[in-house]
Amino acid sequence: EDQVTQSPEALRLQEGESSSLNCSYTVSGLRGLFWYRQDPGKGPEFLFTLYSAGEEKEKERLKATLTKKESFLHITAPKPEDSATYLCAVQGRRAGNNRKLIWGLGTSLAVNP
Amino acid sequence: DVKVTQSSRYLVKRTGEKVFLECVQDMDHENMFWYRQDPGLGLRLIYFSYDVKMKEKGDIPEGYSVSREKKERFSLILESASTNQTSMYLCASSLWDQGTGETQYFGPGTRLLVL
């Protein structure tokens, strides 16, 4: 069964304290892995798509990496405005309903000034 | 930039009322989705559509229906609202590419309270 697990559930950092969020996945042939940021009361905002193991993408203080079993979202020298819930989702290649995304429950990140 | 808009940010309805949630996207995307998001349960797919007048059930379609009469507009209908449909409703749209899959872009969400 396709599955996405994110850890930790919640993370509190001091401003400038770098860390990583984890997204472990099981899927029948990965078509894409997606990272989103969600602020309270708002819709998810797209950050990155990763397609193959070894791929990396960066945006400001965020860097996403991908292996065959998991993805990491590295946050370098975070600022309070990076506080949000970060969601991970995967899309598989299984025949049939392969437009569906399998979502993790997210990591709630709080960055203290 | 992709823009997905939803008709209301907040709605309060009574049990048994018929509720319409509207979603419009301006990027000519083929695919549109309706999710609900609840604490501890994450994002759950209600219905999606990959073409005008086409619809597919997601994981939790019971109690909901959808309509897609135009490419840019996807409506979610609660035929008879119940308190367990109190939730955050999110609409998304995407383009499908056979090689690379798709990226879904979300609207701001509608927080629905059913009393």
Side-chain angles (χ1 to χ4, degrees):
Chain A
E1 181 184 348
D2 296 346
Q3 193 170 339
V4 173
T5 303
Q6 292 188 247
S7 61
E9 287 186 21
L11 181 63
R12 187 175 292 276
L13 299 174
Q14 288 299 123
E15 185 172 2
E17 179 187 2
S18 302
S19 188
S20 297
L21 313 182
N22 177 264
C23 172
S24 298
Y25 64 90
T26 305
V27 68
S28 303
L30 180 70
R31 187 179 293 279
L33 184 142
F34 306 85
W35 281 101
Y36 288 82
R37 169 195 170 121
Q38 186 174 25
D39 293 306
K42 296 187 178 180
E45 175 189 345
F46 170 69
L47 293 173
F48 305 108
T49 307
L50 302 168
Y51 297 108
S52 57
E55 189 175 1
E56 299 182 353
K57 288 193 176 173
E58 287 187 66
K59 179 179 180 180
E60 295 180 358
R61 294 177 292 282
L62 300 177
K63 178 178 168 181
T65 62
L66 182 65
T67 73
K68 288 186 178 180
K69 293 183 179 180
E70 58 191 348
S71 176
F72 291 94
L73 185 65
H74 306 278
I75 304 177
T76 302
K79 297 182 178 182
E81 53 262 42
D82 294 322
S83 297
T85 296
Y86 290 85
L87 298 171
C88 172
V90 298
Q91 187 175 45
R93 294 183 182 274
R94 182 158 25 110
N97 211 355
N98 60 2
R99 284 190 170 87
K100 289 174 55 175
L101 296 184
I102 311 300
W103 291 87
L105 295 181
T107 293
S108 176
L109 173 66
V111 181
N112 296 326
Chain B
D1 279 352
V2 176
K3 188 157 188 184
V4 180
T5 57
Q6 295 183 229
S7 51
S8 304
R9 293 301 311 275
Y10 302 96
L11 272 181
V12 180
K13 297 292 181 181
R14 296 278 178 194
T15 302
E17 279 193 77
K18 191 169 186 176
V19 182
F20 293 86
L21 303 182
E22 301 283 332
C23 175
V24 177
Q25 51 95 3
D26 68 354
M27 286 302 292
D28 202 34
H29 282 176
E30 301 158 349
N31 311 309
M32 297 188 76
F33 306 80
W34 274 108
Y35 293 90
R36 63 177 284 177
Q37 186 176 31
D38 302 284
L41 297 177
L43 280 153
R44 293 182 290 167
L45 183 63
I46 305 171
Y47 268 97
F48 66 101
S49 168
Y50 52 88
D51 202 351
V52 175
K53 297 191 184 295
M54 303 299 287
K55 61 184 180 183
E56 293 280 345
K57 291 181 180 180
D59 298 317
I60 51 163
E62 296 79 18
Y64 303 94
S65 62
V66 291
S67 172
R68 194 167 181 199
E69 296 296 319
K70 293 185 178 181
K71 190 174 185 178
E72 68 271 18
R73 189 179 297 270
F74 192 33
S75 302
L76 180 69
I77 303 151
L78 287 66
E79 295 290 342
S80 178
S82 63
T83 55
N84 63 13
Q85 291 179 311
T86 290
S87 186
M88 173 71 137
Y89 288 88
L90 292 161
C91 175
S93 72
S94 73
L95 268 177
W96 170 257
D97 178 271
Q98 187 65 30
T100 58
E102 63 192 300
T103 296
Q104 294 185 15
Y105 296 90
F106 285 83
T110 296
R111 190 167 292 281
L112 173 66
L113 173 62
V114 182
L115 300 174

